[in-house]
Amino acid sequence: MGKHARKRQRKAEEEESFPLGTRIDLADEASKDDEERRLESLLFGKPYVPSISKDGWNAIDTLEDDDIEGIEGAEAELEAMLDADLFFVDDGPSAAHPNSPVLDLASDPEAALPTPAPSETMQTPVAQKNSARKVPAWTDPDDATLTVDLASVRRLRKLRDAPDEGILGGREYERRLRRQFEKMNPAPEWAAKARKKRRREAVEGEESDGGVEELLTGTGGIVSAARRRTIRQGMLSIERLRDVNQTAPADGEVKAIHFHPSARVPLLLSASADRRVRLYNVDGHTNPHLQTLHIPELPASTAQFHPSGTSILLTGPRPYYFTYDLETGTTTRSPRGLWGTTFSHAREGANELSMELAAFDPTGSILAVGGRRGYTHLVDWRAGGGQVVGSVKGNSSITSLWWSGKQLMTLGEDAEVYIWDVGERSCVRRWKDDGGFGAKVLTGDRAGRYAAIGSKSGIVNVYGSDALLLSGLTRPKPLKALDNLTTTITSVKFNHDSQLLAIASSVKRDQLRVIHLPSLTAFSNWPTAGTPLGHVTAVDFSATSEYIGMGNNRGRVLLYHLRDFAS
């Protein structure tokens, strides 16, 4: 019985069709290009012969019979050699030959061509390119034999992955130390982007120019202003750093802390109950202590930088103040005629001229000092010597004051807010805080969009820009009454771009909340019940809000890093 016609046709098609490249004669040298010939020379030790000569003719066709016989003889000699004699792994210059050169095939491919050797045994070293990953400049051989007991050292217990983990080898110990360091000091955003870009270019086969192309093609400046980053409500990206005053702790309660007004000067001052003012360089790691000022005759309750950043003002429950010049390092007491020549203890009383409440205007030309009987004294700072040039008076003792641009705002014990025209020495507007009981602290943001008033009941009323207007017939309504705390508010502070508001109370432990603006909601992830804040007595943000500092009654200045504002 004959075969089926369809089967005969299928068999014929299978015989005619073949995969691509299966019918190529491997011995045909004329069909190979230069790259294939060079690769065969590197792998199999064959002499490299270019396919095209300088005259444009095929080099194989122009070889003489003696040359062809020499090539065939070399191939026959290589066929009799073992694989171990043909190949080896190049780990760099060997110990036996420290001066042996390392070939670079990428820069000079012709360097890999074999050269005739006088010995009968033919050896062809192969130089392989190292991987793109950088190798360490030096490796300690003792790391392989090192053992570390994590359970015996208290500071190393944080490196354990399991509670019962004990001894680690040197390599694993190094890896965990590196992991802990990267956890405490995460890579900045620009470095992470650069790494992703290099990986992407390595995959795509592109070369990175280090950002030079972006710099040359862009129209922005080399040193551009930082972008405003919007903080979302709910979760705050924050981490605890080393205490600012760990190198020089205070003996007693921290009365005041203040960051330098310039973002280029990483300074922080702290005034404590031991009548000392300490300066620290805030770098987020060691925070070195720079200087200590001891003023025995003044228990400084307020310490602040001048808006220009060139000096420090120190005030307290005394009718005089001290200034410290950062450039010259000199301390100066206020002149005798600060309060004029008509000073009388019978009329004013020494306690009535306390300078605990003092604040500079944004330009630093006028210092406002709050008194007890409704007076707010104005000190002319431009003259250099300091002189009270005028006063404004409310109906009750002043509990807090704050400058809104050129206008001065004061808060009285009767919860009334006065807005003063300093030039005319007159009140242009007056309104009462909502609730109207026990107002303690008044402050606002730099842009003049918000004002906040804290009371004895723990409620903080946040007002909008309508409360800062110079004219208004109706009493402004608060945007929201924050009732996150239940004790007397002692500290209220806005950050530099009015996205965060910190409120604190020194009456109870751990009484601090960070409010998100403009949603006016507290962040839920920080602080927690386990955050060791203590009795918070002072709060301040750095110039760019990268750091937030808190002083407590135990003399510690806590420091936290806000990752959303990292430079």
Side-chain angles (χ1 to χ4, degrees):
M1 182 176 181
K3 295 184 179 180
H4 197 274
R6 186 178 298 275
K7 291 183 179 181
R8 289 197 303 270
Q9 182 180 0
R10 186 184 308 168
K11 183 176 180 181
E13 291 177 355
E14 290 177 357
E15 292 178 355
E16 293 178 359
S17 61
F18 53 87
L20 182 62
T22 56
R23 295 300 182 91
I24 296 178
D25 189 2
L26 299 179
D28 186 10
E29 298 291 339
S31 62
K32 301 177 182 179
D33 56 1
D34 290 345
E35 184 176 359
E36 187 174 357
R37 297 172 188 275
R38 188 179 293 109
L39 184 60
E40 287 182 352
S41 174
L42 295 176
L43 295 179
F44 306 114
K46 297 174 59 177
Y48 170 72
V49 179
S51 60
I52 303 298
S53 65
K54 296 181 179 180
D55 298 332
W57 296 94
N58 194 319
I60 296 296
D61 299 336
T62 58
L63 289 176
E64 299 292 337
D65 294 340
D66 296 337
D67 298 333
I68 296 176
E69 292 176 1
I71 295 175
E72 293 176 353
E75 293 179 353
E77 183 180 358
L78 291 176
E79 289 177 357
M81 297 181 64
L82 299 176
D83 292 344
D85 297 332
L86 288 174
F87 304 97
F88 75 98
V89 179
D90 184 16
D91 291 331
S94 61
H97 303 282
N99 297 325
S100 60
V102 178
L103 303 181
D104 189 359
L105 302 182
S107 59
D108 188 9
E110 302 296 336
L113 297 179
T115 56
S119 60
E120 296 179 359
T121 305
M122 184 175 183
Q123 295 181 358
T124 307
V126 179
Q128 299 178 353
K129 288 188 66 177
N130 295 332
S131 59
R133 185 175 181 180
K134 295 182 180 179
V135 296
W138 176 79
T139 303
D140 191 352
D142 294 337
D143 289 345
T145 59
L146 178 67
T147 58
V148 179
D149 189 0
L150 301 181
S152 61
V153 183
R154 185 176 181 181
R155 296 182 60 184
L156 299 181
R157 294 176 184 176
K158 64 174 74 72
L159 302 178
R160 297 182 298 181
D161 291 340
D164 55 348
E165 192 172 13
I167 298 177
L168 289 181
R171 302 296 184 187
E172 181 65 17
Y173 177 63
E174 178 187 358
R175 188 185 67 82
R176 298 204 183 176
L177 285 177
R178 190 181 303 276
R179 182 184 65 183
Q180 181 69 14
F181 177 81
E182 293 176 352
K183 180 180 178 181
M184 298 180 61
N185 304 278
E189 184 179 358
W190 63 267
K193 291 183 179 179
R195 291 175 183 174
K196 292 181 180 178
K197 183 178 180 181
R198 285 197 298 268
R199 295 192 191 102
R200 184 172 62 253
E201 290 174 349
V203 174
E204 297 176 357
E206 301 176 359
E207 295 183 358
S208 175
D209 57 357
V212 177
E213 182 179 1
E214 299 179 2
L215 180 63
L216 298 178
T217 57
T219 58
I222 298 178
V223 182
S224 58
R227 296 181 301 171
R228 185 180 186 272
R229 300 174 181 175
T230 303
I231 308 300
R232 296 182 179 180
Q233 67 183 68
M235 304 292 288
L236 183 64
S237 180
I238 190 171
E239 65 173 338
R240 184 181 179 182
L241 302 178
R242 186 177 183 180
D243 291 353
V244 175
N245 63 343
Q246 186 170 350
T247 55
D251 296 332
E253 177 183 340
V254 176
K255 296 292 185 179
I257 63 172
H258 192 206
F259 282 94
H260 196 276
S262 175
R264 295 178 295 178
V265 183
L267 278 182
L268 172 71
L269 66 84
S270 67
S272 53
D274 56 0
R275 304 195 180 194
R276 285 173 172 82
V277 177
R278 296 172 175 85
L279 295 175
Y280 302 91
N281 180 19
V282 180
D283 58 3
H285 299 284
T286 58
N287 304 321
H289 171 239
L290 301 179
Q291 194 172 3
T292 298
L293 306 177
H294 183 206
I295 306 177
E297 55 186 311
L298 178 65
S301 59
T302 302
Q304 55 185 314
F305 286 100
H306 188 268
S308 63
T310 58
S311 61
I312 299 174
L313 173 67
L314 306 175
T315 61
R318 299 289 187 271
Y320 50 83
Y321 62 84
F322 281 85
T323 57
Y324 175 74
D325 195 307
L326 293 175
E327 298 178 354
T328 62
T330 58
T331 305
T332 307
R333 179 174 168 170
S334 59
R336 285 184 172 271
L338 174 64
W339 303 100
T341 57
T342 60
F343 173 76
S344 172
H345 284 278
R347 184 175 64 87
E348 295 287 350
N351 294 332
E352 298 297 329
L353 295 177
S354 170
M355 297 187 68
E356 290 182 282
L357 299 177
F360 283 105
D361 71 329
T363 62
S365 58
I366 300 177
L367 176 68
V369 180
R372 283 188 172 85
R373 297 189 299 171
Y375 282 97
T376 301
H377 307 285
L378 306 175
V379 180
D380 186 8
W381 209 259
R382 293 169 295 185
Q387 180 67 38
V388 177
V389 295
S391 301
V392 293
K393 186 179 184 304
N395 294 333
S396 62
S397 298
I398 303 300
T399 60
S400 183
L401 48 85
W402 172 66
W403 288 89
S404 176
K406 296 181 179 180
Q407 282 71 38
L408 175 64
M409 299 182 66
T410 61
L411 176 66
E413 290 182 346
D414 56 356
E416 280 197 323
V417 178
Y418 293 82
I419 302 180
W420 303 93
D421 186 343
V422 176
E424 298 292 336
R425 308 288 197 273
S426 61
C427 177
V428 295
R429 189 184 179 189
R430 185 177 68 176
W431 50 272
K432 197 165 187 177
D433 180 34
D434 190 69
F437 175 76
K440 293 287 295 181
V441 183
L442 168 66
T443 189
D445 63 337
R446 300 180 185 178
R449 291 179 291 182
Y450 298 100
I453 299 177
S455 63
K456 294 181 179 179
S457 61
I459 296 177
V460 178
N461 290 329
V462 181
Y463 295 88
S465 59
D466 58 336
L468 310 177
L469 299 178
L470 300 182
S471 61
L473 300 178
T474 60
R475 186 174 67 179
K477 294 293 183 181
L479 300 176
K480 188 174 182 179
L482 305 174
D483 55 357
N484 301 89
L485 303 180
T486 58
T487 54
T488 302
I489 302 297
T490 55
S491 300
V492 180
K493 188 70 177 180
F494 286 90
N495 77 319
H496 77 288
D497 60 355
S498 308
Q499 293 194 76
L500 302 178
L501 170 65
I503 59 177
S505 173
S506 61
V507 179
K508 293 178 60 178
R509 289 177 55 87
D510 306 333
Q511 295 296 296
L512 182 138
R513 296 292 183 272
V514 179
I515 309 301
H516 174 263
L517 298 174
S519 65
L520 296 174
T521 57
F523 290 97
S524 58
N525 65 319
W526 190 87
T528 63
T531 306
L533 299 178
H535 294 260
V536 180
T537 57
V539 181
D540 193 26
F541 290 94
S542 62
T544 58
S545 301
E546 184 175 359
Y547 302 104
I548 177 174
M550 288 151 283
N552 60 21
N553 63 333
R554 299 178 60 186
R556 300 174 60 185
V557 180
L558 309 178
L559 184 66
Y560 287 83
H561 181 223
L562 299 175
R563 297 178 180 176
D564 293 320
F565 296 99
S567 58

